[in-house]
Amino acid sequence: MSIVEAVFVTAAAIVTLVTVNAWRRQNIGKRKVELAEDVLMGFYEARDVFAFVRRRLGAPDDGPTQEFDLAPAEVFEARRSQYYGQHDYLRRRAELFGSLEGLRYVFQVYFGDGANGAFEAIADIRSTLDAAGRELFVQPEPVVGEAEKVRERLLDDLGWGHSARPDDMDRAIMAAVATIEDLCKPVLEGRRS
């Protein structure tokens, strides 16, 4: 092989290598943008699901207006229906939470470990809300003594109790979303991260 041929082969190899690396960076960048969109939208949707579940409007203990004319057994059944409705609402959104959990490790590969706490917070909040709704649904009436304290704690978990809002759970939701925004928005806005 002549020197000229060797130069051409080397130049072709360099051009091919540069082209493949550029293509690879472009595909990784595109995948990172798509992943950032999917995860950020998922966190926004989870935030909205939690807000709906924790909305006080129509909560069982909002006042006597609806329960005033009801017998104690009817009040109990109305409350159970609301607790079950909350649990069912979360259950019907299981695909959202499963999808987020499925994206967690891919997100970690592209964005690092900084988002693990946000993913864990969302999973913990969902679990807490689900457990509170289920426990309240099966709790017998009337509640007295220690059972009444447990019921108040569960209602606070749901955001339906007497605790002031925003509470720790509201702040945890906002912090998880803010963490994901901080990681995703630079990528979505075209800045390097």
Side-chain angles (χ1 to χ4, degrees):
M1 187 182 326
S2 73
I3 293 179
V4 174
E5 289 176 331
V7 168
F8 280 124
V9 168
T10 304
I14 291 172
V15 168
T16 301
L17 184 60
V18 168
T19 303
V20 167
N21 282 337
W23 173 81
R24 185 173 169 269
R25 278 192 306 274
Q26 181 181 5
N27 279 341
I28 289 173
K30 180 180 176 188
R31 174 65 178 130
K32 196 171 182 178
V33 167
E34 290 170 352
L35 182 61
E37 287 174 344
D38 291 345
V39 169
L40 187 57
M41 287 188 311
F43 269 74
Y44 285 159
E45 188 175 349
R47 176 197 60 199
D48 293 347
V49 166
F50 294 151
F52 182 81
V53 168
R54 301 190 84 225
R55 186 173 299 138
R56 255 189 95 81
L57 183 64
D61 295 330
D62 272 350
T65 55
Q66 293 176 325
E67 299 176 356
F68 188 71
D69 294 329
L70 299 178
E74 292 171 315
V75 170
F76 176 60
E77 285 308 312
R79 287 179 179 172
R80 283 177 47 106
S81 176
Q82 288 176 316
Y83 302 143
Y84 180 78
Q86 174 273 341
H87 167 73
D88 188 54
Y89 183 80
L90 278 175
R91 184 189 57 77
R92 286 183 281 127
R93 275 130 190 100
E95 187 176 323
L96 163 67
F97 296 103
S99 173
L100 278 176
E101 192 59 32
L103 292 171
R104 177 181 183 168
Y105 297 108
V106 176
F107 194 84
Q108 185 177 2
V109 167
Y110 284 95
F111 291 88
D113 294 336
N116 283 340
F119 280 93
E120 288 171 8
I122 293 298
D124 289 347
I125 291 164
R126 177 184 179 230
S127 178
T128 299
L129 291 174
D130 189 46
R134 275 186 285 119
E135 287 181 50
L136 285 165
F137 179 73
V138 298
Q139 194 175 57
E141 288 274 339
V143 288
V144 292
E146 191 61 36
E148 189 171 9
K149 291 177 187 173
V150 169
R151 181 173 182 272
E152 285 302 316
R153 181 189 53 79
L154 294 171
L155 287 171
D156 283 342
D157 284 348
L158 287 178
W160 297 358
H162 299 293
S163 294
R165 301 277 304 274
D167 59 10
D168 289 341
M169 191 176 292
D170 292 324
R171 286 186 283 279
I173 293 165
M174 290 184 284
V177 171
T179 297
I180 297 301
E181 285 176 335
D182 289 346
L183 291 169
C184 293
K185 283 193 174 182
V187 171
L188 296 174
E189 293 168 355
R191 298 190 309 257
R192 299 216 31 103
S193 70

